[in-house]
Amino acid sequence: MSQQGYVAAPPYSQSQPGIGGFSAGFGPPNSSLHYGHYGDPNSSYSAPQPGVLKSTVPFGSSAPAGPPPPGTHQFSQTNFQNGPSIPGQQPHRFQGPPPPSNTGPSYPPCSHQSQPAYPNTASTSPTAQLANQLNSMQINSYGPGTTPSSRMSSGHPASFQGPQPPPPAQQQMVLPPGSQVPPPANNVNGLCAQPSLPPMARQDGIPGPAPPNPNLQQLSGQPPGPGYHPQQASYGPQMAGSQLSYPGAFPGGLAQLPGPQQKKLDPDSIPSPIQVIENDKASRGGQIYATNTRGQVPPLVTTDCVIQDQGHASPRYIRCTTYCFPSSSDMAKQARIPLAAVIQPFAIVPPNETPLYVVNHGETGPIRCNRCKAYMCPFMQFIEGGRRYQCGFCNCINDVPPFFFQHLDHIGRRVDHYERPELSLGSYEYVATLDYCRNNKPPKPPAYIFMIDVSYRSINSGLVKLICDELKTLLDKLPREEQEESSAIQVGFVTYNKVLHFFNVKSSLAQPQMMVVSDVGEVFVPLLDGFLVNFQESRSVVINLLDQIPEMFADTNEGETIFAPVIQAGMEALKAAECAGKLFIFHSSLPTAEAPGKLRNRDDKKLLNTDKEKTLFQPQVNSYEALARDCVANGCCVNLFLFPNQYVDVASMGLVTMYTGGTLYKYSNFQLDADSPQFLSDLRKDIEKKTGFDAIMRVRTSTGFRATDFFGAIYMNNTTDVEMAAVDCDKAVTVEFKHDDKLNEDIGALIQCAVLYTSISGQRRLRIHNIGLNCSSQLADVYKTCETDALINFFAKSAFKAILSQPLKAVREILVNQTAHMLACYRKNCASPSAVSQLILPDAMKVLPVYMNCLLKSCVLVGRPEIPTDERAHHRQLVMSMGVADTQLFFYPQLLPIHSLDLKSDAVPAAVRCSEERLSEGGAFLLANGLSMFLWLGVSTPPELIQGIFNVPSFAHISTEATSLPVLDNPFSKKVKSILEHIQSRKPYTMKLIIVKQREQPEMLFRQFLVEDKSIYGGASYVDFLCCVHKEICQLLS
C-alpha cells in the first residue's frame, strides 16, 4: 500500500481530455489502479510474486481462524498503487491500458467461464437461491439498514462486531458485519464471494487453470497457481465468459457452496432505492418547493411537487451532483466527488407552475457585465444609490444604464425588485437584438423537411404508406407560439433510394412536381421557390403528394440506399432558404450504394473485450464528422427514424443526429401491425415538441471555479461554446466544473447558463438560468448535499464518452474505483470511528452502489456476443443527452405490483425493488425503464385479474404477441391503462409493451431488467457489488 493515502486525481486546475475532464493518457504502470485484468495476457494469470506466499488451502476446508499468512490476499501486495509513487505524477481518473505483467491483479483473475445462453436455473428454487448466494459470506442477520461486510482486505479476518449507531448529529448508513465466523476457504484470495456459482464455476481469484475451453486453456507463459484442481464444467454449450472486472462477472447456475452454514441475509437490510424514493415522496411530495435559498437540496426527480422560482433556477432546469462545493481544489481531489450540473434548458414545466417571463429591453438589448458578459440576474448587487452594480460573477463594478435606473430601499434592494423577472427570478428569457443574429439579420421561422427512404424494403413493408398517411394529419399539429393561430414552420419533402427526388409543392400548382438529383457526389438543391412552403397555404398540393408517393414507387426494385447525401441535401436546402430547421429522415438499411458516406458491415464479435472494441462505437468513415460540423454551422438538426432488419452501423449513421441535438429512434425488425403505434406515437411527440433552433449555450461561473467539460447531444468548436442545431425539452447537457482558486464560503459558487436560440416563430431569444450553491471547508457538508441521481447521470455520460478512446475494462475499473474512493473519503473524514469491517455510507449516497452497479451492467459497458452492437451504440447515444429523471429510470427501472391495485383510490401502487425475490407466482408486475415496458404475469395469477385485463379466462389463454392491452369496460382494465399512460406521459420515448409469462422463453429478456440480481450477461448482484466496494474501501483505508 503506498504511503500517500488514497487521494489520487489530476490537478483540478487544468481541463484534460478523456473522461470527466481527466486525461485519457496512459498512466504509468505503477500508478495504475486495476481490478484484475481478465482476458489480458500480460496481467491476467500472474505467477506468484517472489517472496509473496500464495495460500494453498484446498476447496471445502475452512480457512484458518487466525490471520492467514501474509500475501494470502492479493490485496496485500503493493501492486495496488493509490497515491502516485513518484512525486508529482498523478494517476488519471480514466486511464490507458493495464500495466505490464509484473504487477499481479489486485482482484483475483477470472478464468473465462463457459456458460449456456440461458443458464440452467431450474435446479434451485428462488428462495434457496438467495440463501445459497449469501451462505458463503460471513454474514449474520441484521436489523434494518444494515448489510454484509465483506472480508477485510488487509490480510487478516475482519474483527466482527455488532451494529454501532452513528452519532445523532450525523446521518449515515452503518452496515455492520455479522458475528465472528471462520470464513470459508474460498474467500482466501480476497474477492468478495461469488456465492451464486456452482462449484465448477467459482473463480475465487485462484490463479488455477481455466475451464476446459480449448480457446481459453491457459494464457501464455503463466504457470497455474499451486494446489488447485481444474474444475470441470457440467452443463451447456461452451462459450467464452464475460470479462467484467468486478465480481459476479461469471454467469452460471446456482449451487450450494462449501463452508460453514450461516443464517440467511434479509435483502431488505441493505439500502433500498425504493425506500429512498418513497421516503422523499412522503416528506416532500405534493408540497411547494421555493427556490429562495442558496445551496438547498431539491426533492428527488421521482417526487411530484410544485416548484416556485424565488431567485434560483428550478431543479427541472438544473440539478447538481452536490449543492455545496468544496472550498478548495485539494478538498475536491480528496473527496473525488465530481462537481457537475445537469442542465435541461427547455425542460417542460407543468401547467400548475409559472411559465418563463420574457423581458424585452428593445433596441438596447439585455444588460450585461462589461467584463465577464454575464447577464443581469439576482446575483448582481446594486450600490451607490442604485447608479452602479457589482457583478456577482467577476466582481466588476458597472454603471446602470439610465433607462434601467431605480432607487434602492432601506435594505439596499431596488424598489422594483419584484416587478423585474431578471432581478427576482432564477430563470427568464430576454428578447435578443440583431447583434445576436446570424449576419445581423432577423432569423426566419424554422423549417421541417421530411425525407423518406423509398427503397424496395420500405415500400414493401408498408412503411412508406404509413408515414405518408400519418403526415396528412400530423402537419396540422406543427408547434406554434401560444398566441398564434397557425404554425410559422415551413415544410418540404424529399424521397430517396440511390438518387434524390425533390418535390415542388407551391400553392399555385395543381399537381406536385418531382425533380431528380442523380449526382449524389455533389448534391445541389434543384429548386428554391416551392420547395419549402406553409402547409396551410399549400395543403391541397401537399396532401396530393402524400397520396401519390406510395403509388409512385410501388413497383420499385431498388434495394440500395444512400444516406450522407440525404443529410447534405436537407442542409443545403435550409442554407439556401436562410433558415434553421429539422430533417426527419425515415431510413431502413445500411447505406451501401456508391456515394459519400457509404458504409460496409463491420460488426465483428471478435473485437469484444479487446482494446479494439472501442472502434465499434466510433464512426467507420470520417465524412460523418465533417457533415455534422456543417449541419451545426447551418442550424440543421437531424432526427433519424431507423427501421433495421440487420446491422446498420448506428455508431456511424447516428453521429450527425447526436452532434446536431437530434433524436435517434430505432425500431428493429419493424412489423406494421405490432410496431406502428410505437413509431407513430414517437413521430407525433417529436413533431409537437417545443424546440429551440440554431442554439448556442454558454455557462459562466463566479470566481474560483469554471466549466471544463461538457457531455450531451452537442457540438463544441471551442472550449466554451456549446453548439446545438436544435435543443428540445428532453435534451440535457451535463457540465463538469473544476477549481482554479479557493472559493469564498460567504459568496458561494454561482452558475449562470445562457442559451441563445431561435424560437418556433422565428424570434431570436436568450434563455437564462441562474443557480447559487454553497461552499464549505468541511467535507461533511459536501457529502450531506450530494444528489445520487445527478451523480449517476454524470458517471454514465463521462463513462460513455470515455469508451470512445479507452478499453471498456479500464472504464469499468475506474467507475468501481471512483465509488470506493468517494465512500472511503467519507468514512475516513466524516464518519464516527468504528471497526474497519463496518461499511458506512453517507445518507445522501447510500444507494450510490446499487445505481453504480446498474451502470456497470448496462449493455453499453458489457461486451457480450448476444447483445447487438447497434443496440449498444443506440443506448450510448440516448444516454448522452438524457436528463436526470431519464437516467434514473433507465438504470433502475420501475417495478409496480399491479395485482395490488386499489381501485378506490387514484394512487399508483408503490414500486418494489428490481429483483426476482420481489416477484410472486400469484402476481402481475409492470416494469418500465423509459425505453421498454413489460407486463410480467406469474403462473398463478388470479383468473379474475386475467379476465379483467385481457378478457380471456386463464393464464394459458393469454397471447404474448399483443403489444397493447385491449380496451375493456371494467374498473381494473381502466386503472391499469391509466397507469400505463401515466408512466408513458412523462417519458420522451414511447415504450412498446411486451407481455411476459412466467417460465416462458421471453422471460430471459425481462430478467435483464431485474438490476439488483446477478445478470445473465455477467454482472454482479447488488449484494456482491456492495461487498466488492466494501473490500475496496477497506483496502484504501488500511
Side-chain angles (χ1 to χ4, degrees):
M1 192 69 200
S2 74
Q3 295 307 301
Q4 279 102 326
Y6 59 86
V7 180
Y12 268 63
S13 52
Q14 70 215 52
S15 166
Q16 301 173 10
I19 178 157
F22 287 82
S23 161
F26 289 43
N30 53 358
S31 74
S32 174
L33 302 150
H34 64 294
Y35 290 78
H37 289 276
Y38 309 157
D40 171 41
N42 292 330
S43 61
S44 217
Y45 289 81
S46 55
Q49 293 191 357
V52 176
L53 233 103
K54 288 272 187 211
S55 157
T56 52
V57 183
F59 267 100
S61 67
S62 289
T72 316
H73 287 68
Q74 284 183 315
F75 273 129
S76 57
Q77 300 173 11
T78 50
N79 65 354
F80 193 94
Q81 276 306 128
N82 279 297
S85 51
I86 302 163
Q89 169 189 314
Q90 296 276 21
H92 304 305
R93 199 194 300 173
F94 273 80
Q95 303 193 323
S101 59
N102 60 353
T103 54
S106 42
Y107 264 9
C110 137
S111 35
H112 303 275
Q113 184 47 52
S114 42
Q115 157 257 357
Y118 294 103
N120 170 19
T121 47
S123 56
T124 43
S125 71
T127 36
Q129 181 181 335
L130 196 83
N132 297 345
Q133 261 186 324
L134 299 160
N135 271 344
S136 64
M137 300 186 184
Q138 3 355 6
I139 285 168
N140 223 320
S141 52
Y142 317 122
T146 57
T147 199
S149 116
S150 52
R151 284 283 310 286
M152 275 176 53
S153 39
S154 52
H156 51 83
S159 51
F160 292 117
Q161 54 166 62
Q164 181 171 328
Q170 179 179 302
Q171 272 197 309
Q172 62 190 31
M173 188 87 198
V174 184
L175 302 166
S179 56
Q180 190 149 5
V181 225
N186 53 35
N187 222 6
V188 147
N189 271 56
L191 176 60
C192 41
Q194 304 305 335
S196 50
L197 292 172
M200 46 69 43
R202 292 193 37 87
Q203 312 308 324
D204 295 312
I206 290 146
N213 180 332
N215 308 328
L216 302 166
Q217 196 61 49
Q218 184 70 43
L219 289 184
S220 55
Q222 302 289 356
Y228 294 100
H229 311 296
Q231 300 157 359
Q232 300 302 317
S234 54
Y235 59 76
Q238 296 280 343
M239 209 168 71
S242 113
Q243 302 180 334
L244 268 179
S245 323
Y246 68 102
F250 331 107
L254 309 152
Q256 191 60 47
L257 297 166
Q261 283 297 314
Q262 291 141 22
K263 289 182 195 165
K264 178 183 163 185
L265 168 76
D266 177 8
D268 288 327
S269 63
I270 53 179
S272 155
I274 301 302
Q275 199 56 56
V276 169
I277 289 168
E278 292 302 325
N279 289 352
D280 196 69
K281 281 181 181 170
S283 61
R284 308 181 80 169
Q287 301 179 7
I288 290 178
Y289 171 74
T291 66
N292 52 7
T293 314
R294 187 183 80 195
Q296 64 181 343
V297 182
L300 296 179
V301 281
T302 42
T303 301
D304 277 327
C305 59
V306 179
I307 295 160
Q308 247 180 31
D309 185 340
Q310 295 188 5
H312 296 271
S314 158
R316 298 192 199 285
Y317 297 121
I318 302 183
R319 282 186 174 267
C320 299
T321 52
T322 174
Y323 291 85
C324 178
F325 277 13
S327 54
S328 70
S329 69
D330 285 346
M331 258 181 86
K333 285 176 199 171
Q334 194 180 356
R336 297 257 296 250
I337 295 171
L339 308 178
V342 186
I343 304 172
Q344 202 164 329
F346 284 79
I348 291 173
V349 170
N352 58 353
E353 291 175 21
T354 318
L356 297 192
Y357 288 96
V358 180
V359 179
N360 190 345
H361 286 324
E363 305 255 312
T364 54
I367 296 167
R368 305 177 68 176
C369 168
N370 290 328
R371 183 196 287 160
C372 71
K373 300 297 180 216
Y375 294 86
M376 177 57 67
C377 69
F379 305 146
M380 306 299 191
Q381 187 67 46
F382 289 88
I383 52 175
E384 296 178 22
R387 285 188 297 281
R388 307 176 90 183
Y389 69 92
Q390 181 169 16
C391 173
F393 296 92
C394 69
N395 301 323
C396 172
I397 291 177
N398 300 271
D399 291 330
V400 172
F403 83 91
F404 196 68
F405 172 78
Q406 187 52 269
H407 294 286
L408 307 185
D409 63 13
H410 64 288
I411 56 167
R413 181 190 278 166
R414 285 174 53 126
V415 295
D416 64 352
H417 178 84
Y418 289 108
E419 291 153 35
R420 290 193 176 271
E422 70 272 37
L423 300 183
S424 56
L425 298 178
S427 302
Y428 43 88
E429 292 201 315
Y430 278 116
V431 174
T433 55
L434 290 179
D435 304 344
Y436 294 88
C437 302
R438 274 183 200 267
N439 311 324
N440 289 17
K441 289 201 311 208
K444 294 180 181 172
Y448 284 2
I449 303 177
F450 298 91
M451 314 184 88
I452 305 169
D453 165 0
V454 289
S455 63
Y456 175 78
R457 244 200 70 217
S458 300
I459 292 284
N460 218 29
S461 65
L463 183 59
V464 173
K465 183 167 177 12
L466 180 74
I467 294 165
C468 293
D469 288 348
E470 180 63 26
L471 287 177
K472 290 178 208 168
T473 53
L474 207 44
L475 293 172
D476 276 322
K477 299 181 183 153
L478 293 172
R480 54 186 171 85
E481 298 285 0
E482 268 88 9
Q483 66 279 9
E484 291 178 1
E485 280 183 25
S486 65
S487 174
I489 292 173
Q490 294 193 295
V491 294
F493 303 88
V494 173
T495 57
Y496 66 93
N497 38 45
K498 270 170 112 165
V499 295
L500 292 150
H501 321 108
F502 287 77
F503 294 94
N504 183 345
V505 284
K506 200 172 175 181
S507 56
S508 56
L509 294 174
Q511 284 281 335
Q513 296 171 348
M514 178 165 97
M515 300 188 182
V516 180
V517 175
S518 51
D519 181 3
V520 291
E522 294 289 328
V523 175
F524 66 96
V525 182
L527 77 161
L528 287 179
D529 189 32
F531 177 62
L532 292 177
V533 296
N534 178 301
F535 174 64
Q536 301 304 342
E537 291 168 12
S538 294
R539 174 187 290 271
S540 61
V541 192
V542 170
I543 299 285
N544 195 335
L545 170 69
L546 294 171
D547 284 334
Q548 285 183 33
I549 286 175
E551 293 163 15
M552 207 183 300
F553 300 99
D555 302 327
T556 185
N557 290 320
E558 187 51 75
E560 286 194 310
T561 55
I562 54 175
F563 183 65
V566 181
I567 298 176
Q568 184 81 32
M571 182 195 72
E572 297 291 351
L574 293 175
K575 190 173 170 181
E578 295 183 340
C579 69
K582 263 189 196 182
L583 311 182
F584 290 80
I585 302 180
F586 305 92
H587 189 92
S588 61
S589 56
L590 195 68
T592 52
E594 278 308 322
K598 174 186 174 179
L599 299 174
R600 60 184 170 80
N601 185 338
R602 50 142 186 189
D603 190 16
D604 185 358
K605 300 293 185 203
K606 289 201 276 302
L607 299 181
L608 298 183
N609 302 304
T610 70
D611 282 356
K612 288 189 176 164
E613 184 172 3
K614 57 178 178 273
T615 59
L616 295 173
F617 296 103
Q618 300 163 356
Q620 62 170 284
V621 288
N622 294 335
S623 53
Y624 284 101
E625 294 214 23
L627 185 56
R629 193 169 50 241
D630 291 347
C631 284
V632 172
N634 290 289
C636 169
C637 169
V638 179
N639 270 1
L640 181 55
F641 294 81
L642 274 177
F643 304 88
N645 273 3
Q646 52 199 24
Y647 178 74
V648 289
D649 198 350
V650 168
S652 300
M653 293 187 74
L655 190 81
V656 180
T657 298
M658 177 141 161
Y659 277 155
T660 58
T663 308
L664 172 58
Y665 299 91
K666 180 167 155 287
Y667 311 92
S668 300
N669 303 314
F670 182 83
Q671 301 292 323
L672 205 61
D673 301 339
D675 302 307
S676 299
Q678 183 191 10
F679 158 58
L680 295 178
S681 166
D682 281 337
L683 179 58
R684 286 170 199 144
K685 274 188 183 178
D686 203 299
I687 282 185
E688 294 171 24
K689 268 181 192 176
K690 286 284 195 303
T691 304
F693 296 88
D694 199 7
I696 187 159
M697 178 171 110
R698 179 72 75 87
V699 177
R700 293 181 172 83
T701 56
S702 52
T703 52
F705 73 113
R706 63 197 171 88
T708 56
D709 262 288
F710 300 85
F711 309 93
I714 54 174
Y715 181 77
M716 298 201 66
N717 229 345
N718 54 38
T719 54
T720 52
D721 295 330
V722 177
E723 296 181 56
M724 297 169 281
V727 53
D728 65 42
C729 54
D730 299 311
K731 299 287 183 290
V733 179
T734 301
V735 184
E736 186 176 19
F737 302 98
K738 299 272 169 66
H739 288 74
D740 43 24
D741 203 351
K742 217 169 155 39
L743 299 179
N744 181 322
E745 294 192 31
D746 299 331
I747 296 167
L750 310 179
I751 299 168
Q752 182 178 79
C753 162
V755 184
L756 174 65
Y757 72 99
T758 301
S759 72
I760 43 179
S761 59
Q763 188 180 42
R764 202 70 177 146
R765 289 188 185 175
L766 282 149
R767 180 169 283 219
I768 315 291
H769 296 299
N770 306 285
I771 190 168
L773 309 175
N774 288 334
C775 299
S776 174
S777 54
Q778 301 299 313
L779 278 168
D781 295 335
V782 180
Y783 280 95
K784 205 159 52 191
T785 60
C786 279
E787 186 179 312
T788 297
D789 295 331
L791 279 166
I792 288 300
N793 181 284
F794 171 83
F795 282 127
K797 290 185 183 183
S798 51
F800 285 9
K801 183 177 180 180
I803 61 172
L804 294 177
S805 55
Q806 295 173 61
L808 269 79
K809 191 172 57 177
V811 174
R812 289 192 299 259
E813 283 160 11
I814 285 154
L815 289 172
V816 177
N817 178 253
Q818 179 88 12
T819 309
H821 264 278
M822 287 157 55
L823 298 174
C825 176
Y826 176 80
R827 172 69 190 263
K828 183 176 176 185
N829 299 289
C830 311
S832 53
S834 60
V836 183
S837 55
Q838 278 192 332
L839 175 59
I840 297 179
L841 303 171
D843 195 58
M845 276 190 192
K846 64 186 176 199
V847 291
L848 181 73
V850 68
Y851 281 117
M852 192 61 98
N853 192 33
C854 296
L855 167 58
L856 286 162
K857 290 198 285 191
S858 72
C859 71
V860 180
L861 294 182
V862 177
R864 289 295 302 231
E866 307 93 322
I867 306 172
T869 306
D870 275 344
E871 195 67 10
R872 299 174 71 197
H874 182 219
H875 281 192
R876 179 186 167 272
Q877 186 165 328
L878 294 182
V879 169
M880 286 307 287
S881 63
M882 278 184 183
V884 177
D886 290 341
T887 48
Q888 188 276 331
L889 187 67
F890 180 73
F891 289 113
Y892 195 94
Q894 192 174 23
L895 184 60
L896 301 175
I898 59 168
H899 53 275
S900 56
L901 275 181
D902 179 2
L903 298 176
K904 295 187 182 68
S905 89
D906 286 340
V908 174
V912 295
R913 294 170 70 162
C914 281
S915 167
E916 198 181 346
E917 281 288 295
R918 311 287 155 167
L919 303 176
S920 55
E921 291 195 349
F925 291 81
L926 186 69
L927 183 144
N929 76 339
L931 296 184
S932 309
M933 190 183 268
F934 295 90
L935 179 55
W936 181 91
L937 300 152
V939 286
S940 320
T941 309
E944 58 273 20
L945 192 143
I946 291 170
Q947 184 72 48
I949 301 179
F950 295 98
N951 203 22
V952 295
S954 73
F955 182 80
H957 289 81
I958 298 169
S959 160
T960 52
E961 299 297 303
T963 54
S964 61
L965 298 179
V967 179
L968 303 173
D969 191 16
N970 71 63
F972 203 87
S973 174
K974 287 177 179 168
K975 178 80 183 181
V976 172
K977 286 271 218 191
S978 80
I979 290 173
L980 289 174
E981 281 158 20
H982 176 73
I983 295 173
Q984 188 57 75
S985 66
R986 304 166 154 240
K987 292 295 148 200
Y989 304 96
T990 308
M991 295 174 262
K992 175 178 160 184
L993 182 68
I994 299 168
I995 292 163
V996 174
K997 291 160 80 170
Q998 186 180 3
R999 299 183 193 146
E1000 290 190 8
Q1001 179 78 6
E1003 203 184 10
M1004 296 310 293
L1005 180 63
F1006 170 76
R1007 291 259 179 103
Q1008 293 171 47
F1009 296 89
L1010 300 176
V1011 290
E1012 289 198 22
D1013 299 341
K1014 190 162 184 163
S1015 159
I1016 60 163
Y1017 290 141
S1021 68
Y1022 175 22
V1023 170
D1024 286 354
F1025 183 68
L1026 204 55
C1027 292
C1028 155
V1029 168
H1030 185 198
K1031 193 165 296 289
E1032 281 299 299
I1033 294 168
C1034 294
Q1035 175 64 20
L1036 291 169
L1037 295 176
S1038 61

